[in-house]
Amino acid sequence: QALRLTQDSGLGSRIDGAYFDAFRIGLVAGAPVYINRENEIAGNATWRLYDPHGVLVRERSFREDLGIVTPRVTGDYTLVIAERNDNT
């Protein structure tokens, strides 16, 4: 299963100079999905995947793919891409 998130599909925002974008992804329990990046974000970006209950499933630097994720529960997962501001 392939997911393609376009630049316009997120909710890009800035808080105190830091950038974050959140995406909702409907996933099915037991159906693996590979999540990778196609573009670099300069800086210290990370991405985090949360399950429908708000539990962190995986966190990685945006310099690498999130990889294969096999959901434990069916529902809407939240993928957050965030770049922290180290200049504060």
Side-chain angles (χ1 to χ4, degrees):
Q1 177 182 2
L3 292 175
R4 181 179 272 303
L5 301 176
T6 64
Q7 183 175 359
D8 297 330
S9 64
L11 306 169
S13 299
R14 289 198 172 270
I15 296 177
D16 296 329
Y19 172 83
F20 76 94
D21 217 344
F23 303 88
R24 290 254 184 221
I25 306 169
L27 298 178
V28 177
V33 61
Y34 188 82
I35 303 173
N36 72 309
R37 62 172 173 74
E38 292 185 0
N39 298 315
E40 296 258 352
I41 293 178
N44 297 311
T46 60
W47 51 0
R48 297 176 188 97
L49 182 66
Y50 295 91
D51 75 10
H53 305 290
V55 176
L56 180 65
V57 174
R58 186 165 300 163
E59 176 180 16
R60 294 237 168 107
S61 165
F62 200 71
R63 293 185 180 114
E64 57 186 303
D65 294 342
L66 205 55
I68 297 173
V69 175
T70 304
R72 293 183 183 211
V73 296
T74 297
D76 288 334
Y77 284 67
T78 303
L79 179 65
V80 176
I81 301 170
E83 180 183 12
R84 68 178 185 265
N85 183 354
D86 288 332
N87 297 324
T88 57

